[in-house]
Every structure is written in C-alpha cells, then in structure tokens.
Amino acid sequence: MSLTFFDDRRLARDLYAAASQNAGPEQVGAGISRVLAPIVAHEVLSLVGTDPATGPGLGSFSGI
C-alpha cells in the first residue's frame, strides 16, 4: 500500500469555495461532493454542515 500526499489546506480552500457558491443548496451540495469524491467514496442523500462553535443555525447549511 502506498501513501498519498494529503494537502489539508487545499481541501479547506476547495470546500470553502464550494460552500460559498452563490447558488442553491443542490449546486452547493454537488460542489462539495465533487471536492470529496477523490478522497472519500460516497453517495450523498443528505448533507448537513454545522459550525462546531455555534452548532445548528448560524453558519450551518444543508442540502439534498
């Protein structure tokens, strides 16, 4: 098994860019899914993101 270089700063930038799109929840969810696809195999039915400091509400998003 080989090790893969993981750039967490790039991941954070890409996720922020995808979540900051001026689009509807479906487009934002699709953008986040595209960023995660090379790292984590997944099929998304529902995606919910929250800010650990504030919890659900301020700074959170959801999409189907």
Side-chain angles (χ1 to χ4, degrees):
M1 179 186 285
S2 65
L3 296 175
T4 302
F5 177 72
F6 181 76
D7 184 353
D8 59 340
R9 291 181 183 161
R10 179 179 176 193
L11 176 62
R13 283 191 310 267
D14 292 348
L15 286 172
Y16 180 80
S20 298
Q21 295 178 30
N22 191 13
E26 291 178 3
Q27 291 81 13
V28 172
I32 292 172
S33 180
R34 279 192 298 276
V35 171
L36 294 177
I39 301 166
V40 179
H42 66 284
E43 292 185 24
V44 177
L45 176 62
S46 179
L47 175 66
V48 177
T50 61
D51 180 345
T54 61
L58 184 64
S60 65
F61 66 91
S62 64
I64 296 176

